[in-house]
Amino acid sequence: MAKSLLSVADLSKDEINEILDRAKELKKSIKSRQELNILKNKVVGLLFEKPSTRTRTSFEVAALRLGGSAVYLSANELQLSRGEPIKDTARILGSYLDAIVARVYSHNTVVELAKYANVPVINGLSDLEHPTQILSDMLTIIEAKGKLEGLNFVFIGDGNNMCNSWLLGSAIVGMNMTAAIPKGYYPDQKILDKALEIAKKTGSKIKIVNDPKEAAKDADILYTDVWVSMGQEKETEKRMRDFQGYQINKELLRLAKKDAVVMHCLPAHRGLEITDDVIEGEQSIVWVQAENKLYGAAAVLEYYLK
């Protein structure tokens, strides 16, 4: 089976650093419109069950900028929509493509794709993790702070796929992470246990708390995500109640370090998980973060297709 990226934990600290170093270099090359042939004659398939702005566009453009090509495959337009088993689709796509980027509802889907496709499968988001997002986010943090290790990273909101990936990623690279999450919305227990196990070796401090104000003290980075993810729309009313107070606003930002930065993986619901004045404020690096998805995607594609 080809090497795949299904979880952040599939990567070591050295491998993450290698990807980030290449992302920095590729950012310069791509921004200067340098002609690259890294993926010459390579075709990347984007198998998406969910709508996407940044993940789809970044991977599609990254493949093109690296001299390859990309094919967008909406699950609704494939035989998957008529009940074809994942393993059958995986075998066929694997025989046509050089890699598959999959954005899916169930993490089991990317696991099965990787099992049967015989080409690299890159998790472009599942209900359990979003590993490519935090790789590009790490690039953004390094640009803003000059390092990862020892920084205090604070996640405010839902213990969702982003939180899961950050728990693992923070532990691997030696960042300290505090997640402020309401009861009933905690991250996946197996992932938390794994992050704590990794943290013992790297010296990272990992904590889950309920009070956002407690979490925000001495933060170098404040990070949030939506309260209602795709597929959770039926829970909207309850989540709106339960997440009251879990908002990054000026009051919360004042509790962080004076030079703290604010991040959001987007799309943002302004006035809910983050206020408009903060996301548009001087301490926000959200727009650089969003742009860096392109360079993170390019580095990931190169790493898995080289």
Side-chain angles (χ1 to χ4, degrees):
M1 185 174 69
K3 188 176 181 182
S4 295
L5 176 59
L6 307 186
S7 164
V8 181
D10 292 334
L11 296 167
S12 66
K13 182 177 181 179
D14 287 344
E15 288 172 322
I16 288 174
N17 286 333
E18 181 181 342
I19 290 170
L20 295 178
D21 286 343
R22 279 300 289 153
K24 291 179 205 173
E25 295 170 3
L26 288 169
K27 180 172 183 175
K28 293 176 184 176
S29 299
I30 292 172
K31 284 179 78 71
S32 65
R33 295 298 187 264
Q34 181 181 337
E35 185 176 344
L36 301 169
N37 291 305
I38 295 166
L39 296 188
K40 186 177 180 180
N41 296 325
K42 298 289 177 71
V43 182
V44 178
L46 309 179
L47 175 57
F48 279 39
E49 293 180 342
K50 291 183 172 187
S52 173
T53 298
R54 283 150 291 275
T55 302
R56 174 187 174 176
T57 309
S58 62
F59 272 101
E60 193 163 348
V61 173
L64 295 171
R65 293 291 187 203
L66 296 182
S69 57
V71 178
Y72 180 72
L73 303 163
S74 170
N76 291 332
E77 297 174 0
L78 302 180
Q79 294 298 335
L80 284 171
S81 64
R82 299 178 65 240
E84 181 173 69
I86 292 292
K87 61 184 179 182
D88 293 1
T89 299
R91 288 183 176 113
I92 299 305
L93 294 182
S95 68
Y96 297 163
L97 302 166
D98 296 291
I100 299 169
V101 179
R103 184 176 178 92
V104 299
Y105 285 98
S106 171
H107 190 74
N108 289 333
T109 301
V110 291
V111 171
E112 196 161 2
L113 281 169
K115 182 177 179 181
Y116 290 99
N118 204 34
V119 295
V121 172
I122 296 163
N123 180 359
L125 180 142
S126 70
D127 59 347
L128 192 65
E129 280 203 58
H130 198 353
T132 63
Q133 176 71 52
I134 76 157
L135 289 171
S136 58
D137 288 347
M138 285 179 177
L139 170 64
T140 308
I141 292 169
I142 290 172
E143 290 177 341
K145 295 293 182 181
K147 64 176 184 176
L148 295 172
E149 192 168 356
L151 292 175
N152 297 325
F153 178 92
V154 174
F155 186 96
I156 307 289
D158 188 14
N160 59 11
N161 48 9
M162 282 305 311
C163 183
N164 288 337
S165 283
W166 269 116
L167 286 167
L168 293 168
S170 296
I172 292 168
V173 302
M175 290 174 67
N176 303 315
M177 177 173 172
T178 301
I181 301 170
K183 291 179 181 178
Y185 296 94
Y186 289 170
D188 182 86
Q189 189 62 49
K190 288 182 180 178
I191 284 183
L192 177 57
D193 291 343
K194 189 166 191 174
L196 290 170
E197 182 183 341
I198 295 169
K200 288 178 183 177
K201 301 173 185 176
T202 62
S204 174
K205 297 175 183 176
I206 304 289
K207 288 195 302 182
I208 307 294
V209 300
N210 298 127
D211 185 357
K213 292 181 180 179
E214 175 190 345
K217 292 176 183 177
D218 295 323
D220 292 296
I221 302 116
L222 287 177
Y223 193 110
T224 192
D225 190 10
V226 296
W227 292 346
V228 184
S229 298
M230 284 179 284
Q232 298 173 336
E233 288 79 8
K234 292 181 180 179
E235 304 171 27
T236 298
E237 190 175 333
K238 184 177 188 301
R239 283 173 171 266
M240 290 301 105
R241 293 194 304 268
D242 293 346
F243 282 93
Q244 289 301 311
Y246 289 81
Q247 180 189 75
I248 296 183
N249 50 36
K250 282 190 174 179
E251 180 185 0
L252 197 71
L253 187 53
R254 277 194 287 267
L255 297 174
K257 291 181 180 178
K258 287 185 178 180
D259 62 347
V261 294
V262 174
M263 302 180 74
H264 192 308
C265 54
L266 301 177
H269 295 157
R270 300 165 191 239
L272 294 180
E273 73 274 2
I274 194 166
T275 57
D276 187 80
D277 56 356
V278 169
I279 199 170
E280 297 287 359
E282 293 182 357
Q283 288 170 268
S284 169
I285 56 172
V286 170
W287 313 113
V288 176
Q289 176 188 359
E291 179 187 339
N292 279 346
K293 287 211 53 164
L294 170 58
Y295 316 119
V300 166
L301 288 178
E302 180 190 57
Y303 184 80
Y304 283 91
L305 283 170
K306 64 186 177 184

